[in-house]
Amino acid sequence: MIEFIVKFFFTGILFSLATGSFLVSRDKGRTCSPGELYLYSLGLGPVLTVLLLYYMLMLIGGGPVWFYVSLVTITFGLLLFAGRSALPLTIGAAKSFAGHTRDRFRQISGPARVERVLYWTLVFALLAAFLVIFTANTLQLPIDGHDVLVYGNTGKIYYHEKTVAYRDDLLDRDNGFYFAGSPKPSFSLLYTWELMLNDLFRPGPDPKKSSPAPGVENRDIFFRAISAYYGLLIICLTFFWLYRKNRYLALLGILVLLSGMQFFRVLFHLHLDSYRIYFLLLSWIFLAYALSKPGSTHTPPTPGAPVEKEAKKGIFLRRLPSFFQCLPQRLVPGLTAEEYFAFFLLGAFSGLTAFTHIVGIAVAGFNALAFLLFQEKNLKQRIINTLWLLFLILAFGGSHYLLDALIGARFGFTTYFAS
Amino acid sequence: MTQKQLKSIRRVTGFALLTAMVLMVLLSVYPALETSNNRGDLTRTEYIAGIDTPVKKWLNGYLGVFFRFEGFGNINWLVLPLLAWFFIAYPQRDRKQSALVLVWFLTTLLMVFKGYDNARYQLTLFPMTVAAVLYLLWLFLENKTKIPRVLCLSFVALLCVYNIYHHWEKYTNQWHMRVTAEKPRFPHKLVDYINNAGDIDQKNRVFTINTPLFYYHTDKPGLDYMHPDGAQAWGKMWYVLGNRQKLFRNLTRRRRVRYILVKSMHLRFYRGSILQEFLHCETRPVMEDNGWSLFKLREQPLKQHLRRPEYRRLWTWKPIKGDTAAVSPSLVRFHRRGIYSFEVKPFTGGKKKGQNKYIPFIEIRNTRVKPRYANERRINFGYELGKKGLQEKIPAGKYAHFIVRILISPRLLNNQNAIYVLDYDGKKWEQSKQTFFSNRWRTYVVSKKIRPGAKRVRFMIRFSPVD
């Protein structure tokens, strides 16, 4: 269990918070509140880790494990450093939110107060109950689903070869595992990452791959937790958005989700569905943000929260030409600084959706089409903006399909749409 | 009647009508989803995706996002009337709302055409559709007073609870499988056996048929059935009938295979191949654990094995032209309910090119049904030692093997149709049974250890026809 907590904290929480800080610091126009961005970023640690790993293994394959782990860790360290200005703002916002909540709680009394207490007790009790049941039971069970085993075996190949190569088929020369299709590397690389962490932090040779009796074999414990983690994040997302309308609507949303056996299974079975659907939902949220009128989504500062101070720039940064500081926005001149943030995240999340599954590449295409059709700009500007969106989609994982179609598996992804 | 009263009546009537509409939809969809098709040639996709009837192909398949109640609850379909209301009530829509509707609609179309046979693909739209239903419902109720809102949302909650109740057995199954582990799925013993087996190595590999579990949880070498090297052997199972010996040599000598690992549930989907016949005749079952089966190939093919001096073969078949009595003179009809014809016909399927050898087979048909036995039609026939020329005795403790080649209708792949070896010790009959696993010409073997004091030994085929 300690091993799981360390791996999960490292990749799932620490890296996610680093990304969240960076995003909060870049959201000058306050498209979203800090809390909202941190909620979305809780799912970004693992996926950005594997995105970095994907490019590294493709471009600089064959290196030692410590090289890849260090590079990924340094990248998130840089994100945390770049987002350091968000930390005092976040702490301040959290403090003022707590104070604001306390004041509102004190204003209500009697049945209303009891109702609030019961409501949040129920929500946290459900969450706690699930976490206890899951970690004590489900997490201890070995992987037995066909598709996840294929992804896991593919991850092992990436780990053994230290490369993500595009070729006709995938063969593990050690044990004979063979895959003739078009593997989507994102989910497999989560296991590759975990094997790398095992390599670094478990001294001596790899543990014997004996039958993983409950609690004994933890070499893939982080991999086993992914489905439930992202399932919980989807529930949190749904809860968050419905809570804005009514808190009982939010509770009803949880009930409706769990009344579908397929979603219930996501929480207790190991698969990539929740992982891919989470980014799809985020891409649609930021599609809405990107098409909102500038300023309409501006989140007013929480009363009493400290005003963000511009971070002191060191000598290097003071001398950095302002052109490069504004480079991202200059590349897409049709967007204002406030619009650029939502646009960037639309591209990022659409790309990550594509990176996780083949359905995602179609959805990314639909997002781009909707963005093209519904922007409030002239045609030329819309086309330019959409082309940049497609570039972002490629950069954040869509490039896998381009490479796969050109130099990939015998049964490349294009055959899916032809069948 | 005052305006207020009229308004109340309109509200109550409206709520009642909407409730009735919802209940009508549910009452027609639930029974349609409960039907099933038990035909023997269901494909794996139809079986797993729950699209085995034309109605289910639409409800669970093409419109599964809305009507696959088991997977996605019973309120998703409300998004359709709610969207229609939204478009009418809000003609001036926000751009972002129109964009979201467009991407949702396009993704739904994608699921209809490419994801209809996969509930996991349909799951893509589930959270968004749920949020859309509840958001639009809230919008619909926004101008209403508290009571209608509470009633509506409570009604929706009740529908969800009903859906969970309706599929409670499935929920508890998942709970027992994935939480309490009372119904474990993982083959711990099998994986342990493979990991500790000393005779699995690069020269004695495991041929894996759709079992990535082997490569993930063990450190032994295998040959995958889709690998170009393994695919040839796999192809022989599908396209070269009756050639078990060639397949055996192909696997053992050329592919260095000694074991075969397959998921037991998948065997029914390989009825068109000779896989089951091969497993049945040319391998010994090593272990079956939670749905995975490991088989070990014999040291030599069955045909060669039976030529060993310790075996005594009794031929009950003559490849000559004639009637049943000429082709199989020892054939005996033991017991029947109904009237059956036995007709000799020439075998024409699966012959090698240029082969002119006359091979007869006997076709058994139920020609008349006796009304009092209409529901229990069957005929037991076969061979008995000591009758009709089969003068042979099998010593106690020895094994009797019955090997027969049979073609049977897919509707008869059940427990009522089988081959047997039976012995009678003066008090009761004891049997070994082998049911049929394919609707193609296949060889079946059933074996039994003969008990001390056995007075009679039979080799029997039971045929129980259905309409």
Tab-separated table of all heavy atoms in Angstrom, chain A residues 137-138 143-144 146 153 156 175 209 211 220 258-262 268-269 273 276 374-376 416 419, chain B residues 70-71 95-96 99 114 120-121 124 163 171 174 178-179 185 188 192 195 210 212 215-217 222 226:
chain	number	residue	atom	x	y	z
A	137	ASN	N	-9.795	-3.755	-1.429
A	137	ASN	CA	-10.257	-4.942	-2.143
A	137	ASN	C	-9.894	-4.933	-3.629
A	137	ASN	O	-9.038	-5.675	-4.077
A	137	ASN	CB	-11.775	-5.080	-1.992
A	137	ASN	CG	-12.182	-5.268	-0.547
A	137	ASN	OD1	-11.940	-6.302	0.043
A	137	ASN	ND2	-12.762	-4.236	0.038
A	138	THR	N	-10.552	-4.063	-4.357
A	138	THR	CA	-10.415	-4.101	-5.817
A	138	THR	C	-8.977	-3.883	-6.267
A	138	THR	O	-8.492	-4.543	-7.193
A	138	THR	CB	-11.330	-3.043	-6.447
A	138	THR	OG1	-12.639	-3.198	-5.931
A	138	THR	CG2	-11.378	-3.180	-7.959
A	143	ILE	N	-4.869	-7.934	-12.728
A	143	ILE	CA	-5.524	-7.582	-13.988
A	143	ILE	C	-5.873	-8.862	-14.745
A	143	ILE	O	-5.019	-9.743	-14.908
A	143	ILE	CB	-4.587	-6.709	-14.853
A	143	ILE	CG1	-4.271	-5.411	-14.118
A	143	ILE	CG2	-5.218	-6.408	-16.198
A	143	ILE	CD1	-3.289	-4.526	-14.856
A	144	ASP	N	-7.121	-8.942	-15.210
A	144	ASP	CA	-7.504	-10.130	-15.983
A	144	ASP	C	-8.294	-9.794	-17.246
A	144	ASP	O	-8.634	-10.677	-18.014
A	144	ASP	CB	-8.336	-11.092	-15.113
A	144	ASP	CG	-9.603	-10.428	-14.587
A	144	ASP	OD1	-9.936	-9.304	-15.028
A	144	ASP	OD2	-10.247	-11.018	-13.703
A	146	HIS	N	-9.023	-8.672	-20.964
A	146	HIS	CA	-8.242	-8.902	-22.183
A	146	HIS	C	-7.566	-7.632	-22.688
A	146	HIS	O	-6.350	-7.602	-22.919
A	146	HIS	CB	-9.174	-9.471	-23.256
A	146	HIS	CG	-8.520	-9.653	-24.578
A	146	HIS	ND1	-8.392	-8.637	-25.516
A	146	HIS	CD2	-7.907	-10.719	-25.140
A	146	HIS	CE1	-7.759	-9.088	-26.575
A	146	HIS	NE2	-7.452	-10.337	-26.376
A	153	ASN	N	0.896	-5.523	-21.842
A	153	ASN	CA	1.979	-6.212	-22.562
A	153	ASN	C	2.707	-5.260	-23.505
A	153	ASN	O	3.924	-5.333	-23.672
A	153	ASN	CB	1.422	-7.396	-23.353
A	153	ASN	CG	1.127	-8.594	-22.459
A	153	ASN	OD1	1.870	-8.883	-21.530
A	153	ASN	ND2	0.038	-9.277	-22.718
A	156	LYS	N	5.019	-3.216	-21.563
A	156	LYS	CA	6.236	-3.971	-21.219
A	156	LYS	C	7.232	-3.925	-22.368
A	156	LYS	O	8.446	-3.815	-22.159
A	156	LYS	CB	5.881	-5.432	-20.923
A	156	LYS	CG	5.494	-5.629	-19.491
A	156	LYS	CD	5.311	-7.001	-18.951
A	156	LYS	CE	5.326	-8.201	-19.735
A	156	LYS	NZ	5.061	-9.413	-18.981
A	175	ASN	N	9.175	-13.114	-24.754
A	175	ASN	CA	8.143	-14.075	-24.395
A	175	ASN	C	7.179	-14.409	-25.526
A	175	ASN	O	6.335	-15.271	-25.375
A	175	ASN	CB	7.351	-13.592	-23.170
A	175	ASN	CG	6.584	-12.306	-23.450
A	175	ASN	OD1	6.455	-11.873	-24.585
A	175	ASN	ND2	6.064	-11.690	-22.394
A	209	LYS	N	7.863	-12.939	-11.726
A	209	LYS	CA	6.496	-12.642	-12.136
A	209	LYS	C	5.587	-13.805	-11.773
A	209	LYS	O	4.998	-14.439	-12.622
A	209	LYS	CB	6.447	-12.406	-13.646
A	209	LYS	CG	7.178	-11.152	-14.076
A	209	LYS	CD	6.945	-10.928	-15.544
A	209	LYS	CE	7.985	-10.008	-16.132
A	209	LYS	NZ	9.298	-10.584	-16.258
A	211	SER	N	2.296	-15.558	-9.822
A	211	SER	CA	0.896	-15.172	-9.773
A	211	SER	C	0.696	-14.109	-8.703
A	211	SER	O	1.055	-14.315	-7.562
A	211	SER	CB	0.061	-16.407	-9.447
A	211	SER	OG	-1.245	-16.028	-9.129
A	220	ASP	N	2.320	-3.448	-10.648
A	220	ASP	CA	1.431	-2.683	-11.535
A	220	ASP	C	0.297	-2.030	-10.750
A	220	ASP	O	-0.783	-1.810	-11.282
A	220	ASP	CB	0.875	-3.598	-12.633
A	220	ASP	CG	0.086	-4.767	-12.061
A	220	ASP	OD1	0.079	-4.933	-10.826
A	220	ASP	OD2	-0.516	-5.515	-12.854
A	258	LEU	N	-24.210	6.183	-11.637
A	258	LEU	CA	-24.032	4.838	-11.066
A	258	LEU	C	-25.169	3.894	-11.418
A	258	LEU	O	-25.041	2.680	-11.244
A	258	LEU	CB	-23.902	4.935	-9.540
A	258	LEU	CG	-22.650	5.669	-9.074
A	258	LEU	CD1	-22.633	5.767	-7.541
A	258	LEU	CD2	-21.383	4.965	-9.538
A	259	SER	N	-26.289	4.449	-11.931
A	259	SER	CA	-27.390	3.562	-12.328
A	259	SER	C	-27.102	2.889	-13.657
A	259	SER	O	-27.848	2.021	-14.102
A	259	SER	CB	-28.708	4.341	-12.414
A	259	SER	OG	-28.700	5.175	-13.558
A	260	GLY	N	-26.007	3.300	-14.308
A	260	GLY	CA	-25.570	2.634	-15.529
A	260	GLY	C	-24.481	1.641	-15.187
A	260	GLY	O	-23.426	2.031	-14.683
A	261	MET	N	-24.736	0.366	-15.450
A	261	MET	CA	-23.783	-0.676	-15.075
A	261	MET	C	-22.422	-0.436	-15.724
A	261	MET	O	-21.375	-0.716	-15.132
A	261	MET	CB	-24.354	-2.032	-15.511
A	261	MET	CG	-23.385	-3.162	-15.504
A	261	MET	SD	-22.852	-3.554	-13.867
A	261	MET	CE	-24.329	-4.191	-13.227
A	262	GLN	N	-22.442	0.078	-16.931
A	262	GLN	CA	-21.173	0.271	-17.639
A	262	GLN	C	-20.278	1.253	-16.896
A	262	GLN	O	-19.063	1.061	-16.816
A	262	GLN	CB	-21.482	0.786	-19.064
A	262	GLN	CG	-20.447	0.436	-20.095
A	262	GLN	CD	-20.310	-1.037	-20.371
A	262	GLN	OE1	-21.241	-1.824	-20.231
A	262	GLN	NE2	-19.123	-1.450	-20.756
A	268	PHE	N	-14.742	-0.296	-10.855
A	268	PHE	CA	-14.252	-1.527	-10.240
A	268	PHE	C	-13.496	-2.437	-11.205
A	268	PHE	O	-12.945	-3.437	-10.791
A	268	PHE	CB	-15.422	-2.308	-9.618
A	268	PHE	CG	-16.009	-1.615	-8.429
A	268	PHE	CD1	-17.175	-0.879	-8.550
A	268	PHE	CD2	-15.382	-1.664	-7.200
A	268	PHE	CE1	-17.705	-0.214	-7.453
A	268	PHE	CE2	-15.910	-1.013	-6.094
A	268	PHE	CZ	-17.075	-0.275	-6.228
A	269	HIS	N	-13.546	-2.092	-12.487
A	269	HIS	CA	-12.785	-2.880	-13.441
A	269	HIS	C	-11.656	-2.029	-13.974
A	269	HIS	O	-11.690	-0.812	-13.874
A	269	HIS	CB	-13.681	-3.333	-14.600
A	269	HIS	CG	-14.462	-4.557	-14.289
A	269	HIS	ND1	-14.099	-5.812	-14.694
A	269	HIS	CD2	-15.591	-4.718	-13.570
A	269	HIS	CE1	-14.984	-6.687	-14.264
A	269	HIS	NE2	-15.898	-6.060	-13.579
A	273	ASP	N	-11.364	3.286	-20.278
A	273	ASP	CA	-12.517	4.102	-20.668
A	273	ASP	C	-12.613	5.410	-19.897
A	273	ASP	O	-12.816	6.472	-20.483
A	273	ASP	CB	-13.809	3.293	-20.493
A	273	ASP	CG	-13.889	2.179	-21.511
A	273	ASP	OD1	-13.479	2.411	-22.672
A	273	ASP	OD2	-14.335	1.077	-21.157
A	276	ARG	N	-9.901	7.914	-21.007
A	276	ARG	CA	-10.098	8.639	-22.272
A	276	ARG	C	-11.302	9.563	-22.207
A	276	ARG	O	-11.288	10.653	-22.780
A	276	ARG	CB	-10.233	7.645	-23.434
A	276	ARG	CG	-11.450	6.758	-23.373
A	276	ARG	CD	-11.544	5.805	-24.562
A	276	ARG	NE	-12.679	4.922	-24.395
A	276	ARG	CZ	-13.922	5.222	-24.752
A	276	ARG	NH1	-14.172	6.384	-25.332
A	276	ARG	NH2	-14.912	4.380	-24.550
A	374	PHE	N	-18.208	28.048	-35.245
A	374	PHE	CA	-18.915	28.897	-34.280
A	374	PHE	C	-18.093	30.028	-33.684
A	374	PHE	O	-18.570	30.722	-32.787
A	374	PHE	CB	-19.488	28.030	-33.147
A	374	PHE	CG	-20.597	27.129	-33.615
A	374	PHE	CD1	-20.388	25.776	-33.810
A	374	PHE	CD2	-21.852	27.650	-33.895
A	374	PHE	CE1	-21.415	24.953	-34.266
A	374	PHE	CE2	-22.881	26.832	-34.345
A	374	PHE	CZ	-22.651	25.484	-34.532
A	375	GLN	N	-16.868	30.250	-34.160
A	375	GLN	CA	-16.127	31.412	-33.662
A	375	GLN	C	-16.786	32.700	-34.153
A	375	GLN	O	-17.301	32.738	-35.275
A	375	GLN	CB	-14.696	31.412	-34.207
A	375	GLN	CG	-13.793	30.345	-33.677
A	375	GLN	CD	-12.482	30.375	-34.425
A	375	GLN	OE1	-11.635	31.226	-34.174
A	375	GLN	NE2	-12.319	29.464	-35.359
A	376	GLU	N	-16.655	33.727	-33.348
A	376	GLU	CA	-17.216	35.033	-33.775
A	376	GLU	C	-16.123	35.846	-34.433
A	376	GLU	O	-15.695	36.890	-33.939
A	376	GLU	CB	-17.752	35.766	-32.543
A	376	GLU	CG	-19.179	35.379	-32.212
A	376	GLU	CD	-19.845	36.361	-31.286
A	376	GLU	OE1	-20.351	37.388	-31.748
A	376	GLU	OE2	-19.836	36.081	-30.073
A	416	TYR	N	-9.810	1.176	-39.450
A	416	TYR	CA	-10.967	1.203	-38.557
A	416	TYR	C	-12.127	1.933	-39.205
A	416	TYR	O	-13.271	1.495	-39.154
A	416	TYR	CB	-10.591	1.895	-37.238
A	416	TYR	CG	-11.774	2.051	-36.309
A	416	TYR	CD1	-12.261	0.966	-35.597
A	416	TYR	CD2	-12.411	3.259	-36.177
A	416	TYR	CE1	-13.348	1.099	-34.762
A	416	TYR	CE2	-13.504	3.402	-35.350
A	416	TYR	CZ	-13.965	2.312	-34.631
A	416	TYR	OH	-15.049	2.451	-33.815
A	419	SER	N	-13.658	-0.043	-42.270
A	419	SER	CA	-14.402	-1.301	-42.061
A	419	SER	C	-15.856	-1.039	-41.741
A	419	SER	O	-16.204	0.044	-41.342
A	419	SER	CB	-13.763	-2.093	-40.938
A	419	SER	OG	-13.845	-1.356	-39.736
B	70	GLU	N	-29.337	-1.344	-19.301
B	70	GLU	CA	-28.441	-2.038	-18.385
B	70	GLU	C	-27.132	-1.270	-18.246
B	70	GLU	O	-26.616	-1.109	-17.153
B	70	GLU	CB	-28.146	-3.450	-18.883
B	70	GLU	CG	-27.263	-4.244	-17.926
B	70	GLU	CD	-26.778	-5.551	-18.513
B	70	GLU	OE1	-27.587	-6.243	-19.165
B	70	GLU	OE2	-25.592	-5.877	-18.326
B	71	GLY	N	-26.625	-0.790	-19.353
B	71	GLY	CA	-25.320	-0.143	-19.318
B	71	GLY	C	-25.375	1.321	-18.919
B	71	GLY	O	-24.455	1.815	-18.273
B	95	ARG	N	-23.564	30.550	-28.941
B	95	ARG	CA	-22.712	29.793	-29.867
B	95	ARG	C	-22.150	28.554	-29.214
B	95	ARG	O	-22.039	27.494	-29.837
B	95	ARG	CB	-21.558	30.679	-30.333
B	95	ARG	CG	-21.966	31.636	-31.405
B	95	ARG	CD	-20.881	32.648	-31.719
B	95	ARG	NE	-21.354	33.482	-32.802
B	95	ARG	CZ	-21.077	33.271	-34.101
B	95	ARG	NH1	-20.291	32.272	-34.438
B	95	ARG	NH2	-21.572	34.049	-35.037
B	96	LYS	N	-21.759	28.701	-27.947
B	96	LYS	CA	-21.132	27.545	-27.299
B	96	LYS	C	-22.148	26.422	-27.116
B	96	LYS	O	-21.798	25.246	-27.230
B	96	LYS	CB	-20.493	27.920	-25.975
B	96	LYS	CG	-21.404	28.421	-24.895
B	96	LYS	CD	-20.596	28.681	-23.620
B	96	LYS	CE	-21.488	29.073	-22.463
B	96	LYS	NZ	-21.787	30.510	-22.450
B	99	ALA	N	-22.408	24.720	-30.411
B	99	ALA	CA	-21.195	23.925	-30.670
B	99	ALA	C	-21.238	22.605	-29.898
B	99	ALA	O	-20.907	21.548	-30.436
B	99	ALA	CB	-19.954	24.723	-30.283
B	114	LYS	N	-20.356	3.198	-35.940
B	114	LYS	CA	-19.135	2.444	-35.682
B	114	LYS	C	-19.067	1.828	-34.288
B	114	LYS	O	-18.214	1.002	-34.034
B	114	LYS	CB	-17.907	3.364	-35.863
B	114	LYS	CG	-17.756	3.938	-37.261
B	114	LYS	CD	-17.585	2.872	-38.324
B	114	LYS	CE	-16.164	2.372	-38.395
B	114	LYS	NZ	-15.955	1.426	-39.493
B	120	ARG	N	-18.645	-0.248	-24.691
B	120	ARG	CA	-17.573	0.615	-24.181
B	120	ARG	C	-17.462	1.869	-25.030
B	120	ARG	O	-17.214	2.951	-24.520
B	120	ARG	CB	-16.258	-0.139	-24.203
B	120	ARG	CG	-16.069	-1.151	-23.097
B	120	ARG	CD	-14.665	-1.701	-23.091
B	120	ARG	NE	-13.732	-0.623	-23.359
B	120	ARG	CZ	-12.908	-0.580	-24.411
B	120	ARG	NH1	-12.882	-1.572	-25.268
B	120	ARG	NH2	-12.103	0.440	-24.581
B	121	TYR	N	-17.647	1.740	-26.319
B	121	TYR	CA	-17.595	2.940	-27.171
B	121	TYR	C	-18.802	3.828	-26.880
B	121	TYR	O	-18.683	5.054	-26.831
B	121	TYR	CB	-17.573	2.548	-28.651
B	121	TYR	CG	-16.235	2.029	-29.131
B	121	TYR	CD1	-15.177	1.827	-28.245
B	121	TYR	CD2	-16.012	1.728	-30.471
B	121	TYR	CE1	-13.963	1.343	-28.677
B	121	TYR	CE2	-14.795	1.256	-30.922
B	121	TYR	CZ	-13.772	1.066	-30.022
B	121	TYR	OH	-12.563	0.582	-30.454
B	124	THR	N	-18.688	6.427	-24.098
B	124	THR	CA	-18.066	7.734	-24.352
B	124	THR	C	-19.035	8.875	-24.109
B	124	THR	O	-18.666	9.908	-23.551
B	124	THR	CB	-17.579	7.800	-25.813
B	124	THR	OG1	-16.761	6.670	-26.095
B	124	THR	CG2	-16.809	9.078	-26.086
B	163	ASN	N	-33.829	1.127	-12.011
B	163	ASN	CA	-32.902	0.475	-12.947
B	163	ASN	C	-31.846	-0.341	-12.201
B	163	ASN	O	-31.480	-1.444	-12.623
B	163	ASN	CB	-32.226	1.523	-13.838
B	163	ASN	CG	-31.619	0.890	-15.082
B	163	ASN	OD1	-32.301	0.236	-15.866
B	163	ASN	ND2	-30.326	1.072	-15.254
B	171	TYR	N	-25.307	-6.153	-10.552
B	171	TYR	CA	-24.526	-5.327	-9.625
B	171	TYR	C	-23.878	-6.213	-8.560
B	171	TYR	O	-22.703	-6.052	-8.225
B	171	TYR	CB	-25.409	-4.270	-8.960
B	171	TYR	CG	-25.627	-3.039	-9.809
B	171	TYR	CD1	-26.696	-2.957	-10.688
B	171	TYR	CD2	-24.753	-1.954	-9.738
B	171	TYR	CE1	-26.895	-1.838	-11.470
B	171	TYR	CE2	-24.954	-0.823	-10.513
B	171	TYR	CZ	-26.020	-0.770	-11.380
B	171	TYR	OH	-26.209	0.349	-12.153
B	174	GLN	N	-20.958	-8.109	-9.956
B	174	GLN	CA	-19.756	-7.275	-10.043
B	174	GLN	C	-19.135	-7.115	-8.666
B	174	GLN	O	-17.910	-7.152	-8.505
B	174	GLN	CB	-20.105	-5.873	-10.586
B	174	GLN	CG	-20.532	-5.851	-12.029
B	174	GLN	CD	-19.451	-6.348	-12.950
B	174	GLN	OE1	-18.288	-5.965	-12.840
B	174	GLN	NE2	-19.807	-7.223	-13.860
B	178	ARG	N	-15.390	-8.244	-8.001
B	178	ARG	CA	-14.355	-7.230	-7.924
B	178	ARG	C	-14.152	-6.612	-6.550
B	178	ARG	O	-13.233	-5.821	-6.376
B	178	ARG	CB	-14.680	-6.088	-8.915
B	178	ARG	CG	-14.774	-6.528	-10.350
B	178	ARG	CD	-13.485	-7.090	-10.881
B	178	ARG	NE	-12.407	-6.133	-10.784
B	178	ARG	CZ	-11.128	-6.428	-11.004
B	178	ARG	NH1	-10.789	-7.655	-11.294
B	178	ARG	NH2	-10.202	-5.507	-10.923
B	179	VAL	N	-14.997	-6.941	-5.588
B	179	VAL	CA	-14.802	-6.377	-4.245
B	179	VAL	C	-14.556	-7.506	-3.238
B	179	VAL	O	-13.485	-7.620	-2.668
B	179	VAL	CB	-16.004	-5.510	-3.819
B	179	VAL	CG1	-15.774	-4.961	-2.418
B	179	VAL	CG2	-16.208	-4.358	-4.790
B	185	ARG	N	-12.175	-14.237	-10.746
B	185	ARG	CA	-12.056	-14.513	-12.179
B	185	ARG	C	-10.642	-14.874	-12.557
B	185	ARG	O	-10.393	-15.422	-13.610
B	185	ARG	CB	-12.472	-13.274	-12.972
B	185	ARG	CG	-13.952	-13.059	-12.972
B	185	ARG	CD	-14.428	-11.981	-13.871
B	185	ARG	NE	-13.474	-11.144	-14.500
B	185	ARG	CZ	-13.732	-10.411	-15.576
B	185	ARG	NH1	-14.915	-10.483	-16.115
B	185	ARG	NH2	-12.836	-9.609	-16.097
B	188	HIS	N	-5.481	-17.999	-10.600
B	188	HIS	CA	-4.249	-18.005	-9.807
B	188	HIS	C	-3.516	-19.332	-9.943
B	188	HIS	O	-2.301	-19.375	-10.144
B	188	HIS	CB	-4.585	-17.784	-8.325
B	188	HIS	CG	-5.006	-16.390	-8.004
B	188	HIS	ND1	-4.103	-15.362	-7.845
B	188	HIS	CD2	-6.222	-15.845	-7.817
B	188	HIS	CE1	-4.763	-14.244	-7.583
B	188	HIS	NE2	-6.057	-14.503	-7.558
B	192	ASP	N	0.165	-19.935	-11.529
B	192	ASP	CA	1.218	-20.524	-10.693
B	192	ASP	C	1.778	-21.782	-11.346
B	192	ASP	O	2.997	-21.999	-11.362
B	192	ASP	CB	0.642	-20.902	-9.313
B	192	ASP	CG	0.742	-19.732	-8.358
B	192	ASP	OD1	1.550	-18.818	-8.623
B	192	ASP	OD2	0.008	-19.720	-7.358
B	195	ASN	N	3.999	-20.819	-14.269
B	195	ASN	CA	5.253	-20.209	-13.834
B	195	ASN	C	6.208	-21.239	-13.233
B	195	ASN	O	7.429	-21.081	-13.303
B	195	ASN	CB	4.980	-19.101	-12.818
B	195	ASN	CG	4.700	-17.776	-13.500
B	195	ASN	OD1	5.334	-17.432	-14.497
B	195	ASN	ND2	3.740	-17.044	-12.995
B	210	ASN	N	-5.742	-15.956	-28.064
B	210	ASN	CA	-6.423	-14.783	-27.504
B	210	ASN	C	-6.292	-14.738	-25.977
B	210	ASN	O	-7.271	-14.488	-25.275
B	210	ASN	CB	-7.901	-14.804	-27.904
B	210	ASN	CG	-8.465	-13.413	-28.050
B	210	ASN	OD1	-7.727	-12.433	-28.139
B	210	ASN	ND2	-9.773	-13.305	-28.038
B	212	PRO	N	-3.800	-12.836	-23.719
B	212	PRO	CA	-2.665	-11.986	-23.344
B	212	PRO	C	-2.284	-12.132	-21.881
B	212	PRO	O	-1.201	-11.725	-21.473
B	212	PRO	CB	-3.172	-10.566	-23.651
B	212	PRO	CG	-4.648	-10.670	-23.655
B	212	PRO	CD	-4.978	-12.050	-24.117
B	215	TYR	N	1.118	-13.685	-21.260
B	215	TYR	CA	2.337	-12.886	-21.442
B	215	TYR	C	2.513	-11.851	-20.345
B	215	TYR	O	3.625	-11.418	-20.058
B	215	TYR	CB	2.293	-12.190	-22.809
B	215	TYR	CG	2.197	-13.182	-23.938
B	215	TYR	CD1	0.977	-13.458	-24.541
B	215	TYR	CD2	3.320	-13.874	-24.376
B	215	TYR	CE1	0.879	-14.392	-25.554
B	215	TYR	CE2	3.230	-14.809	-25.392
B	215	TYR	CZ	2.006	-15.065	-25.970
B	215	TYR	OH	1.908	-15.992	-26.968
B	216	TYR	N	1.416	-11.447	-19.739
B	216	TYR	CA	1.484	-10.410	-18.707
B	216	TYR	C	1.878	-10.996	-17.361
B	216	TYR	O	2.669	-10.420	-16.631
B	216	TYR	CB	0.118	-9.704	-18.602
B	216	TYR	CG	0.136	-8.476	-17.734
B	216	TYR	CD1	0.493	-7.235	-18.249
B	216	TYR	CD2	-0.215	-8.549	-16.386
B	216	TYR	CE1	0.505	-6.095	-17.458
B	216	TYR	CE2	-0.193	-7.420	-15.588
B	216	TYR	CZ	0.158	-6.203	-16.125
B	216	TYR	OH	0.175	-5.078	-15.331
B	217	HIS	N	1.297	-12.161	-17.040
B	217	HIS	CA	1.446	-12.687	-15.680
B	217	HIS	C	2.445	-13.833	-15.557
B	217	HIS	O	2.683	-14.297	-14.446
B	217	HIS	CB	0.090	-13.143	-15.145
B	217	HIS	CG	-0.817	-12.015	-14.794
B	217	HIS	ND1	-0.583	-11.163	-13.738
B	217	HIS	CD2	-1.971	-11.578	-15.356
B	217	HIS	CE1	-1.553	-10.256	-13.682
B	217	HIS	NE2	-2.403	-10.480	-14.636
B	222	GLY	N	5.828	-18.074	-25.263
B	222	GLY	CA	4.631	-18.560	-25.923
B	222	GLY	C	4.672	-18.248	-27.405
B	222	GLY	O	5.549	-17.538	-27.895
B	226	MET	N	-1.884	-15.174	-33.525
B	226	MET	CA	-1.913	-14.170	-34.589
B	226	MET	C	-0.519	-13.867	-35.134
B	226	MET	O	-0.384	-13.194	-36.145
B	226	MET	CB	-2.540	-12.865	-34.065
B	226	MET	CG	-3.992	-12.994	-33.727
B	226	MET	SD	-4.968	-13.547	-35.119
B	226	MET	CE	-4.980	-12.109	-36.153
